Amino acid sequence: MLTAGQILQLIRDGSCRTRKELIEYTGLSRSTITDRVDRLIDAGYIHESGVGASGGGRPPSMLAVDAAKRLVLVADLGASHARVALTDLAARPLAEESTEMRIELGPEAVLSWVRQAFQRMLDSVGRTAAEVCGIGLDLPGSVDHTTGRVIRSFLMPGWDDHPVGAALGETYDVPILVENDANAMALGEWWSFWRDTDSLILIKVSTGIGTGIVIDGRIYRGVEEAAGNIGHVRLRETDDRVCTCGSRGCVASLASGHALAGDLGVQYSRDVVRLVQAGDPGAIARTQEAGRTLGIVLATAVSLLNPGVLVLAGDMAETREHYLTGIREIVYRRSLPYTTRNLEIVTTSLGDRAGIVGMAVIVMEHVLSPASVDAALATTVT
């Protein structure tokens, strides 16, 4: 006996668009389907969106998710930026805002800005906090996505074990989901452009290096929420460079935006991008070298996971082809030909919006999951 939440999934994925199709597909009685559909309509999950072709008699009403009725608030926090967005339940943006902000300012200052920006966006479109059904926030570190706490981050002093979800929950009594930024970006890219591939790896190279892995449409996090932490794979243990993690010779200490900035005498990874875009030969050469260094580790990842797509994101994706060229050179040279035969190595299509889109999708999937829908409907039963 399918629940109302499971019926909603059939409508969402296009398996069934009318009551008649639901009856035929599920084998449930007309009265049962009518009950499930009416409850979903009354709760605002679906609506009738026109009529379909008639096979004789009255044309059937078409059923679709009512994405406009509920709102989602999301935030993408990097080492040096903060971006927030208000979307509907189809991850379509209604309002966005961004600012330059150092994550090292600490959770109180950063989350205070996020809360204020959330309210500004709601005010700008004339909506209220009561219409928000979920919140998502990503951070540049390992997080426990079940508790909403930061587990560890080498770029976020003062954030370890901070209850990010609870801090936002003081204002909004809705599900609050916290995720690693590279994971969110990977899902955003996959959902927007690569849903026909079984696996995707996204490498975010900005101040640090992070990796998100999507397999069969789901984020792969690992046992300790640390999957994709390739920035701290050690390549040269005798190297003089000390990584932010305290070790020597990590990929991040050799190939991250922070490492390049130090080598080129500038402050931030975005300064490196500006040098490359201006045609500085030293910056271009060092950027290509960094791509080759990261490519050594990515060649192993490609051999291990055999992904269909490898996406470069973050500041270094804006160096035109220079960083990407280094990655391609080494991945194709060091991987078996059949593992790269159908591999696409590309730069991000969403740019700095990848995390925002990914978090909106994460919240959308959670709020519209069968378990969440059935739990919400159960609270409305008198």
Side-chain angles (χ1 to χ4, degrees):
M1 183 69 74
L2 297 180
T3 66
Q6 292 168 324
I7 294 296
L8 175 61
Q9 303 315 302
L10 297 177
I11 297 170
R12 287 186 68 204
D13 65 22
S15 298
C16 303
R17 298 295 304 276
T18 66
R19 291 173 176 81
K20 181 180 178 182
E21 290 179 1
L22 285 167
I23 293 169
E24 294 173 349
Y25 188 93
T26 65
L28 296 175
S29 68
R30 180 176 297 277
S31 61
T32 299
I33 290 298
T34 297
D35 172 70
R36 303 284 193 271
V37 169
D38 286 350
R39 291 174 63 198
L40 290 169
I41 290 175
D42 292 343
Y45 286 105
I46 62 175
H47 62 166
E48 294 177 329
S49 60
V51 295
S54 174
R58 182 181 177 184
S61 296
M62 303 295 288
L63 303 172
V65 174
D66 191 350
K69 199 163 279 187
R70 289 175 167 81
L71 302 176
V72 172
L73 287 166
V74 289
D76 167 49
L77 304 180
S80 60
H81 78 272
R83 179 181 293 270
V84 293
L86 175 67
T87 79
D88 64 13
L89 257 185
R92 292 182 296 241
L94 304 176
E96 291 192 17
E97 183 177 333
S98 63
T99 188
E100 297 291 318
M101 180 179 292
R102 305 297 299 181
I103 196 75
E104 62 198 34
L105 288 174
E108 297 301 330
V110 173
L111 294 179
S112 176
W113 180 87
V114 169
R115 284 191 293 267
Q116 293 170 27
F118 280 172
Q119 189 59 54
R120 284 194 297 270
M121 289 189 299
L122 287 169
D123 292 341
S124 72
V125 297
R127 306 292 288 267
T128 68
E131 298 172 86
V132 175
C133 65
I135 293 175
L137 182 144
D138 70 49
L139 296 157
S142 297
V143 302
D144 184 340
H145 72 283
T146 61
T147 65
R149 288 177 176 268
V150 178
I151 299 174
R152 69 187 72 83
S153 175
F154 306 115
L155 299 175
M156 300 166 58
W159 285 82
D160 284 3
D161 203 38
H162 189 82
V164 176
L168 293 176
E170 295 173 1
T171 307
Y172 300 91
D173 185 21
V174 297
I176 298 173
L177 308 180
V178 184
E179 186 56 81
N180 167 264
D181 61 347
N183 285 345
M185 295 171 73
L187 187 65
E189 290 284 337
W190 177 85
W191 189 82
S192 299
F193 300 101
W194 302 103
R195 276 187 263 183
D196 58 346
T197 190
D198 292 334
S199 62
L200 173 149
I201 298 176
L202 178 139
I203 312 93
K204 179 190 178 186
V205 186
S206 291
T207 302
I209 296 177
T211 306
I213 303 169
V214 174
I215 299 176
D216 294 333
R218 296 179 178 274
I219 294 171
Y220 179 74
R221 298 182 176 88
V223 176
E224 300 295 337
E225 306 275 352
N229 214 345
I230 64 172
H232 299 288
V233 173
R234 289 184 228 173
L235 293 181
R236 307 173 191 167
E237 294 196 16
T238 58
D239 196 278
D240 290 337
R241 297 168 181 261
V242 178
C243 183
T244 53
C245 71
S247 298
R248 296 179 183 273
C250 291
V251 175
S253 71
L254 303 170
S256 67
H258 177 75
L260 269 66
D263 290 345
L264 295 169
V266 293
Q267 191 169 10
Y268 300 121
S269 57
R270 293 183 184 181
D271 297 325
V272 176
V273 173
R274 282 189 279 272
L275 288 175
V276 172
Q277 291 177 345
D280 183 284
I284 290 173
R286 182 65 184 88
T287 296
Q288 291 176 343
E289 178 190 357
R292 288 191 289 270
T293 299
L294 180 56
I296 294 171
V297 179
L298 292 179
T300 300
V302 167
S303 297
L304 182 65
L305 295 176
N306 190 204
V309 187
L310 196 63
V311 181
L312 173 65
D315 291 342
M316 290 301 105
E318 298 178 25
T319 60
R320 302 190 177 102
E321 288 286 305
H322 295 299
Y323 200 103
L324 194 68
T325 296
I327 291 175
R328 282 178 173 151
E329 176 186 334
I330 299 301
V331 168
Y332 286 127
R333 183 196 303 171
R334 295 198 173 207
S335 303
L336 288 171
Y338 71 87
T339 64
T340 58
R341 183 169 53 213
N342 296 307
L343 174 66
E344 296 196 56
I345 304 178
V346 299
T347 54
T348 170
S349 296
L350 291 173
D352 55 13
R353 297 190 67 254
I356 285 292
V357 175
M359 285 312 308
V361 172
I362 288 170
V363 175
M364 174 184 71
E365 293 295 337
H366 175 83
V367 171
L368 294 179
S369 69
S372 295
V373 171
D374 291 332
L377 292 177
T379 64
T380 65
V381 175
T382 58

Short mmCIF file of all heavy atoms in Angstrom, two decimals, residues 21-76:
data_model
loop_
_atom_site.label_atom_id
_atom_site.label_comp_id
_atom_site.label_asym_id
_atom_site.label_seq_id
_atom_site.Cartn_x
_atom_site.Cartn_y
_atom_site.Cartn_z
N GLU A 21 -3.73 7.36 -14.37
CA GLU A 21 -2.41 6.72 -14.51
C GLU A 21 -1.92 6.18 -13.18
O GLU A 21 -1.29 5.11 -13.13
CB GLU A 21 -1.41 7.72 -15.09
CG GLU A 21 -1.65 8.07 -16.54
CD GLU A 21 -0.65 9.09 -17.07
OE1 GLU A 21 0.23 9.51 -16.28
OE2 GLU A 21 -0.76 9.48 -18.24
N LEU A 22 -2.20 6.88 -12.09
CA LEU A 22 -1.81 6.39 -10.77
C LEU A 22 -2.53 5.09 -10.43
O LEU A 22 -1.93 4.16 -9.87
CB LEU A 22 -2.10 7.46 -9.71
CG LEU A 22 -1.14 8.65 -9.67
CD1 LEU A 22 -1.71 9.78 -8.81
CD2 LEU A 22 0.23 8.23 -9.13
N ILE A 23 -3.80 5.02 -10.74
CA ILE A 23 -4.58 3.81 -10.48
C ILE A 23 -4.01 2.63 -11.28
O ILE A 23 -3.79 1.53 -10.75
CB ILE A 23 -6.07 4.04 -10.82
CG1 ILE A 23 -6.69 5.05 -9.86
CG2 ILE A 23 -6.84 2.72 -10.78
CD1 ILE A 23 -8.06 5.55 -10.28
N GLU A 24 -3.75 2.88 -12.57
CA GLU A 24 -3.24 1.81 -13.43
C GLU A 24 -1.83 1.39 -13.03
O GLU A 24 -1.49 0.20 -13.05
CB GLU A 24 -3.27 2.27 -14.88
CG GLU A 24 -4.68 2.49 -15.43
CD GLU A 24 -4.67 3.11 -16.81
OE1 GLU A 24 -3.58 3.57 -17.27
OE2 GLU A 24 -5.74 3.14 -17.45
N TYR A 25 -0.99 2.35 -12.66
CA TYR A 25 0.41 2.07 -12.34
C TYR A 25 0.54 1.33 -11.01
O TYR A 25 1.35 0.41 -10.88
CB TYR A 25 1.20 3.38 -12.30
CG TYR A 25 2.69 3.22 -12.15
CD1 TYR A 25 3.51 3.18 -13.28
CD2 TYR A 25 3.30 3.14 -10.89
CE1 TYR A 25 4.89 3.04 -13.16
CE2 TYR A 25 4.67 3.00 -10.76
CZ TYR A 25 5.46 2.96 -11.90
OH TYR A 25 6.83 2.82 -11.76
N THR A 26 -0.24 1.75 -10.01
CA THR A 26 -0.08 1.20 -8.65
C THR A 26 -0.99 0.02 -8.36
O THR A 26 -0.70 -0.79 -7.47
CB THR A 26 -0.37 2.29 -7.60
OG1 THR A 26 -1.75 2.68 -7.70
CG2 THR A 26 0.52 3.50 -7.82
N GLY A 27 -2.11 -0.08 -9.08
CA GLY A 27 -3.08 -1.13 -8.78
C GLY A 27 -3.96 -0.81 -7.59
O GLY A 27 -4.75 -1.64 -7.16
N LEU A 28 -3.82 0.42 -7.04
CA LEU A 28 -4.65 0.82 -5.92
C LEU A 28 -6.04 1.22 -6.40
O LEU A 28 -6.24 1.57 -7.57
CB LEU A 28 -4.00 2.00 -5.18
CG LEU A 28 -2.64 1.71 -4.52
CD1 LEU A 28 -2.07 2.99 -3.93
CD2 LEU A 28 -2.77 0.64 -3.45
N SER A 29 -6.99 1.19 -5.49
CA SER A 29 -8.37 1.52 -5.83
C SER A 29 -8.51 3.02 -6.11
O SER A 29 -7.68 3.83 -5.69
CB SER A 29 -9.31 1.13 -4.70
OG SER A 29 -9.09 1.95 -3.57
N ARG A 30 -9.57 3.36 -6.83
CA ARG A 30 -9.83 4.76 -7.13
C ARG A 30 -9.99 5.58 -5.85
O ARG A 30 -9.49 6.71 -5.75
CB ARG A 30 -11.10 4.88 -7.98
CG ARG A 30 -11.46 6.33 -8.36
CD ARG A 30 -12.67 6.36 -9.27
NE ARG A 30 -12.39 5.69 -10.52
CZ ARG A 30 -11.79 6.24 -11.56
NH1 ARG A 30 -11.38 7.50 -11.48
NH2 ARG A 30 -11.58 5.56 -12.66
N SER A 31 -10.67 5.02 -4.86
CA SER A 31 -10.89 5.76 -3.61
C SER A 31 -9.58 6.02 -2.87
O SER A 31 -9.38 7.09 -2.29
CB SER A 31 -11.87 5.01 -2.71
OG SER A 31 -11.35 3.73 -2.35
N THR A 32 -8.69 5.03 -2.90
CA THR A 32 -7.39 5.20 -2.23
C THR A 32 -6.56 6.27 -2.92
O THR A 32 -5.97 7.15 -2.26
CB THR A 32 -6.61 3.87 -2.21
OG1 THR A 32 -7.37 2.90 -1.49
CG2 THR A 32 -5.26 4.05 -1.54
N ILE A 33 -6.50 6.24 -4.24
CA ILE A 33 -5.75 7.25 -4.99
C ILE A 33 -6.37 8.62 -4.78
O ILE A 33 -5.65 9.62 -4.58
CB ILE A 33 -5.70 6.89 -6.48
CG1 ILE A 33 -4.82 5.66 -6.71
CG2 ILE A 33 -5.20 8.07 -7.30
CD1 ILE A 33 -3.37 5.85 -6.30
N THR A 34 -7.69 8.69 -4.80
CA THR A 34 -8.35 9.97 -4.57
C THR A 34 -7.99 10.54 -3.21
O THR A 34 -7.72 11.74 -3.07
CB THR A 34 -9.88 9.80 -4.68
OG1 THR A 34 -10.21 9.39 -6.01
CG2 THR A 34 -10.59 11.12 -4.37
N ASP A 35 -7.98 9.69 -2.20
CA ASP A 35 -7.62 10.13 -0.85
C ASP A 35 -6.20 10.66 -0.81
O ASP A 35 -5.93 11.74 -0.27
CB ASP A 35 -7.76 8.96 0.13
CG ASP A 35 -7.21 9.29 1.51
OD1 ASP A 35 -7.83 10.10 2.22
OD2 ASP A 35 -6.12 8.75 1.85
N ARG A 36 -5.25 9.89 -1.39
CA ARG A 36 -3.84 10.31 -1.36
C ARG A 36 -3.65 11.63 -2.11
O ARG A 36 -2.99 12.56 -1.64
CB ARG A 36 -2.95 9.24 -2.02
CG ARG A 36 -3.03 7.85 -1.40
CD ARG A 36 -2.28 7.77 -0.09
NE ARG A 36 -2.11 6.38 0.31
CZ ARG A 36 -2.97 5.69 1.06
NH1 ARG A 36 -4.09 6.29 1.49
NH2 ARG A 36 -2.73 4.44 1.39
N VAL A 37 -4.21 11.73 -3.31
CA VAL A 37 -4.05 12.92 -4.13
C VAL A 37 -4.69 14.13 -3.47
O VAL A 37 -4.11 15.22 -3.43
CB VAL A 37 -4.63 12.69 -5.54
CG1 VAL A 37 -4.72 14.00 -6.31
CG2 VAL A 37 -3.78 11.67 -6.29
N ASP A 38 -5.89 13.96 -2.92
CA ASP A 38 -6.57 15.09 -2.28
C ASP A 38 -5.77 15.61 -1.08
O ASP A 38 -5.70 16.83 -0.85
CB ASP A 38 -7.98 14.69 -1.83
CG ASP A 38 -8.95 14.55 -3.00
OD1 ASP A 38 -8.58 14.96 -4.12
OD2 ASP A 38 -10.05 14.02 -2.80
N ARG A 39 -5.17 14.71 -0.33
CA ARG A 39 -4.37 15.14 0.81
C ARG A 39 -3.14 15.91 0.35
O ARG A 39 -2.75 16.92 0.96
CB ARG A 39 -3.95 13.92 1.65
CG ARG A 39 -5.11 13.26 2.39
CD ARG A 39 -4.66 11.98 3.08
NE ARG A 39 -3.67 12.25 4.11
CZ ARG A 39 -2.86 11.32 4.62
NH1 ARG A 39 -2.91 10.08 4.16
NH2 ARG A 39 -1.99 11.64 5.56
N LEU A 40 -2.53 15.46 -0.73
CA LEU A 40 -1.36 16.16 -1.26
C LEU A 40 -1.75 17.54 -1.80
O LEU A 40 -1.01 18.52 -1.62
CB LEU A 40 -0.70 15.34 -2.37
CG LEU A 40 0.02 14.06 -1.92
CD1 LEU A 40 0.39 13.21 -3.12
CD2 LEU A 40 1.26 14.37 -1.08
N ILE A 41 -2.91 17.64 -2.42
CA ILE A 41 -3.38 18.93 -2.92
C ILE A 41 -3.70 19.87 -1.76
O ILE A 41 -3.29 21.04 -1.75
CB ILE A 41 -4.61 18.75 -3.83
CG1 ILE A 41 -4.21 18.06 -5.14
CG2 ILE A 41 -5.27 20.10 -4.12
CD1 ILE A 41 -5.38 17.73 -6.04
N ASP A 42 -4.42 19.36 -0.77
CA ASP A 42 -4.80 20.19 0.38
C ASP A 42 -3.58 20.72 1.12
O ASP A 42 -3.61 21.84 1.65
CB ASP A 42 -5.70 19.40 1.33
CG ASP A 42 -7.07 19.09 0.75
OD1 ASP A 42 -7.45 19.75 -0.24
OD2 ASP A 42 -7.74 18.17 1.26
N ALA A 43 -2.53 19.90 1.17
CA ALA A 43 -1.31 20.31 1.89
C ALA A 43 -0.40 21.19 1.03
O ALA A 43 0.63 21.67 1.51
CB ALA A 43 -0.55 19.08 2.36
N GLY A 44 -0.76 21.39 -0.23
CA GLY A 44 0.02 22.27 -1.09
C GLY A 44 1.21 21.63 -1.77
O GLY A 44 2.06 22.34 -2.33
N TYR A 45 1.30 20.29 -1.75
CA TYR A 45 2.42 19.63 -2.41
C TYR A 45 2.23 19.54 -3.93
O TYR A 45 3.18 19.63 -4.68
CB TYR A 45 2.62 18.22 -1.85
CG TYR A 45 3.24 18.20 -0.48
CD1 TYR A 45 2.48 17.93 0.66
CD2 TYR A 45 4.60 18.47 -0.30
CE1 TYR A 45 3.04 17.92 1.91
CE2 TYR A 45 5.18 18.46 0.96
CZ TYR A 45 4.39 18.19 2.07
OH TYR A 45 4.95 18.19 3.31
N ILE A 46 0.99 19.34 -4.37
CA ILE A 46 0.72 19.25 -5.79
C ILE A 46 -0.51 20.10 -6.14
O ILE A 46 -1.24 20.54 -5.24
CB ILE A 46 0.46 17.79 -6.25
CG1 ILE A 46 -0.76 17.21 -5.54
CG2 ILE A 46 1.69 16.93 -6.01
CD1 ILE A 46 -1.14 15.81 -6.02
N HIS A 47 -0.69 20.34 -7.42
CA HIS A 47 -1.87 21.04 -7.89
C HIS A 47 -2.26 20.49 -9.26
O HIS A 47 -1.49 19.77 -9.90
CB HIS A 47 -1.66 22.55 -7.93
CG HIS A 47 -0.58 22.97 -8.88
ND1 HIS A 47 -0.41 24.26 -9.30
CD2 HIS A 47 0.42 22.27 -9.52
CE1 HIS A 47 0.62 24.35 -10.12
NE2 HIS A 47 1.13 23.16 -10.26
N GLU A 48 -3.46 20.82 -9.68
CA GLU A 48 -3.91 20.43 -11.00
C GLU A 48 -3.45 21.50 -11.99
O GLU A 48 -3.75 22.69 -11.82
CB GLU A 48 -5.43 20.28 -11.02
CG GLU A 48 -5.89 19.12 -10.13
CD GLU A 48 -7.39 18.96 -10.06
OE1 GLU A 48 -8.09 19.99 -10.16
OE2 GLU A 48 -7.86 17.82 -9.90
N SER A 49 -2.70 21.07 -13.01
CA SER A 49 -2.05 22.04 -13.90
C SER A 49 -2.53 21.91 -15.33
O SER A 49 -1.74 21.85 -16.26
CB SER A 49 -0.54 21.85 -13.85
OG SER A 49 -0.20 20.54 -14.29
N GLY A 50 -3.82 21.83 -15.51
CA GLY A 50 -4.36 21.71 -16.85
C GLY A 50 -4.97 20.35 -17.08
O GLY A 50 -5.14 19.55 -16.16
N VAL A 51 -5.31 20.07 -18.33
CA VAL A 51 -5.94 18.79 -18.68
C VAL A 51 -5.13 18.08 -19.73
O VAL A 51 -4.44 18.70 -20.55
CB VAL A 51 -7.39 19.01 -19.18
CG1 VAL A 51 -8.26 19.57 -18.08
CG2 VAL A 51 -7.41 19.92 -20.40
N GLY A 52 -5.21 16.74 -19.69
CA GLY A 52 -4.52 15.92 -20.67
C GLY A 52 -5.44 15.53 -21.80
O GLY A 52 -6.62 15.89 -21.83
N ALA A 53 -4.88 14.75 -22.73
CA ALA A 53 -5.67 14.28 -23.86
C ALA A 53 -6.70 13.28 -23.39
O ALA A 53 -6.44 12.43 -22.53
CB ALA A 53 -4.75 13.64 -24.90
N SER A 54 -7.88 13.39 -23.95
CA SER A 54 -8.98 12.51 -23.56
C SER A 54 -9.05 11.30 -24.48
O SER A 54 -8.92 11.42 -25.70
CB SER A 54 -10.30 13.27 -23.59
OG SER A 54 -11.38 12.39 -23.35
N GLY A 55 -9.25 10.13 -23.88
CA GLY A 55 -9.46 8.92 -24.66
C GLY A 55 -10.94 8.66 -24.86
O GLY A 55 -11.33 7.55 -25.21
N GLY A 56 -11.74 9.67 -24.61
CA GLY A 56 -13.19 9.53 -24.64
C GLY A 56 -13.76 9.95 -23.31
O GLY A 56 -13.31 9.48 -22.26
N GLY A 57 -14.67 10.86 -23.30
CA GLY A 57 -15.21 11.35 -22.05
C GLY A 57 -14.48 12.59 -21.59
O GLY A 57 -13.78 13.26 -22.35
N ARG A 58 -14.59 12.87 -20.32
CA ARG A 58 -14.02 14.08 -19.75
C ARG A 58 -12.49 14.02 -19.73
O ARG A 58 -11.92 13.02 -19.27
CB ARG A 58 -14.55 14.27 -18.33
CG ARG A 58 -14.06 15.53 -17.64
CD ARG A 58 -14.63 15.60 -16.24
NE ARG A 58 -14.15 16.75 -15.53
CZ ARG A 58 -14.43 17.03 -14.26
NH1 ARG A 58 -15.24 16.21 -13.58
NH2 ARG A 58 -13.94 18.11 -13.68
N PRO A 59 -11.77 15.05 -20.22
CA PRO A 59 -10.31 15.04 -20.20
C PRO A 59 -9.80 14.97 -18.75
O PRO A 59 -10.36 15.62 -17.85
CB PRO A 59 -9.93 16.38 -20.85
CG PRO A 59 -11.13 16.78 -21.63
CD PRO A 59 -12.31 16.26 -20.85
N PRO A 60 -8.73 14.20 -18.50
CA PRO A 60 -8.21 14.06 -17.13
C PRO A 60 -7.44 15.31 -16.70
O PRO A 60 -6.79 15.97 -17.50
CB PRO A 60 -7.29 12.86 -17.24
CG PRO A 60 -6.79 12.89 -18.66
CD PRO A 60 -7.97 13.39 -19.47
N SER A 61 -7.51 15.61 -15.41
CA SER A 61 -6.72 16.71 -14.84
C SER A 61 -5.28 16.25 -14.67
O SER A 61 -5.03 15.15 -14.16
CB SER A 61 -7.29 17.14 -13.49
OG SER A 61 -8.59 17.65 -13.63
N MET A 62 -4.34 17.09 -15.10
CA MET A 62 -2.92 16.77 -14.96
C MET A 62 -2.43 17.20 -13.58
O MET A 62 -2.77 18.28 -13.10
CB MET A 62 -2.11 17.49 -16.04
CG MET A 62 -2.56 17.18 -17.46
SD MET A 62 -2.30 15.45 -17.91
CE MET A 62 -0.52 15.42 -18.05
N LEU A 63 -1.63 16.35 -12.96
CA LEU A 63 -1.10 16.62 -11.63
C LEU A 63 0.37 17.00 -11.71
O LEU A 63 1.14 16.39 -12.46
CB LEU A 63 -1.27 15.39 -10.73
CG LEU A 63 -2.70 14.86 -10.57
CD1 LEU A 63 -2.68 13.53 -9.82
CD2 LEU A 63 -3.57 15.88 -9.84
N ALA A 64 0.77 18.01 -10.96
CA ALA A 64 2.16 18.45 -10.94
C ALA A 64 2.52 18.98 -9.56
O ALA A 64 1.65 19.40 -8.79
CB ALA A 64 2.39 19.54 -11.99
N VAL A 65 3.81 18.94 -9.25
CA VAL A 65 4.28 19.49 -7.97
C VAL A 65 4.02 20.98 -7.96
O VAL A 65 4.28 21.70 -8.93
CB VAL A 65 5.79 19.21 -7.78
CG1 VAL A 65 6.31 19.90 -6.53
CG2 VAL A 65 6.05 17.71 -7.70
N ASP A 66 3.49 21.48 -6.84
CA ASP A 66 3.25 22.91 -6.68
C ASP A 66 4.50 23.54 -6.07
O ASP A 66 4.61 23.69 -4.85
CB ASP A 66 2.03 23.14 -5.78
CG ASP A 66 1.56 24.59 -5.78
OD1 ASP A 66 2.29 25.43 -6.32
OD2 ASP A 66 0.48 24.86 -5.24
N ALA A 67 5.46 23.87 -6.92
CA ALA A 67 6.77 24.32 -6.45
C ALA A 67 6.76 25.74 -5.91
O ALA A 67 7.66 26.13 -5.16
CB ALA A 67 7.80 24.22 -7.58
N ALA A 68 5.75 26.53 -6.26
CA ALA A 68 5.76 27.95 -5.91
C ALA A 68 5.25 28.23 -4.51
O ALA A 68 5.50 29.30 -3.95
CB ALA A 68 4.93 28.74 -6.92
N LYS A 69 4.54 27.28 -3.92
CA LYS A 69 3.87 27.55 -2.65
C LYS A 69 4.85 27.57 -1.46
O LYS A 69 4.64 28.29 -0.49
CB LYS A 69 2.78 26.51 -2.43
CG LYS A 69 1.74 26.93 -1.41
CD LYS A 69 0.48 26.08 -1.53
CE LYS A 69 -0.41 26.57 -2.65
NZ LYS A 69 -1.73 25.87 -2.68
N ARG A 70 5.90 26.76 -1.56
CA ARG A 70 6.89 26.69 -0.47
C ARG A 70 8.21 27.30 -0.91
O ARG A 70 8.57 27.25 -2.08
CB ARG A 70 7.10 25.23 -0.04
CG ARG A 70 5.93 24.62 0.72
CD ARG A 70 6.21 23.15 0.99
NE ARG A 70 5.28 22.59 1.95
CZ ARG A 70 4.06 22.18 1.66
NH1 ARG A 70 3.62 22.28 0.41
NH2 ARG A 70 3.28 21.66 2.59
N LEU A 71 8.96 27.83 0.05
CA LEU A 71 10.22 28.50 -0.23
C LEU A 71 11.39 27.78 0.44
O LEU A 71 11.22 27.12 1.47
CB LEU A 71 10.18 29.94 0.27
CG LEU A 71 9.08 30.84 -0.29
CD1 LEU A 71 9.12 32.20 0.40
CD2 LEU A 71 9.23 30.99 -1.80
N VAL A 72 12.56 27.94 -0.16
CA VAL A 72 13.79 27.37 0.38
C VAL A 72 14.82 28.48 0.50
O VAL A 72 14.99 29.29 -0.42
CB VAL A 72 14.32 26.25 -0.54
CG1 VAL A 72 15.70 25.79 -0.09
CG2 VAL A 72 13.35 25.08 -0.59
N LEU A 73 15.52 28.54 1.63
CA LEU A 73 16.62 29.47 1.84
C LEU A 73 17.93 28.69 1.86
O LEU A 73 18.03 27.67 2.54
CB LEU A 73 16.45 30.22 3.16
CG LEU A 73 15.35 31.28 3.21
CD1 LEU A 73 15.07 31.70 4.65
CD2 LEU A 73 15.75 32.50 2.37
N VAL A 74 18.92 29.16 1.10
CA VAL A 74 20.19 28.46 1.06
C VAL A 74 21.35 29.44 1.16
O VAL A 74 21.22 30.61 0.77
CB VAL A 74 20.33 27.62 -0.23
CG1 VAL A 74 19.41 26.42 -0.19
CG2 VAL A 74 20.07 28.45 -1.47
N ALA A 75 22.46 28.95 1.67
CA ALA A 75 23.67 29.77 1.80
C ALA A 75 24.88 28.95 1.40
O ALA A 75 24.99 27.77 1.75
CB ALA A 75 23.83 30.28 3.23
N ASP A 76 25.77 29.56 0.65
CA ASP A 76 27.02 28.94 0.22
C ASP A 76 28.15 29.79 0.80
O ASP A 76 28.33 30.94 0.43
CB ASP A 76 27.08 28.93 -1.32
CG ASP A 76 28.46 28.59 -1.84
OD1 ASP A 76 29.04 27.59 -1.36
OD2 ASP A 76 28.97 29.31 -2.73
#
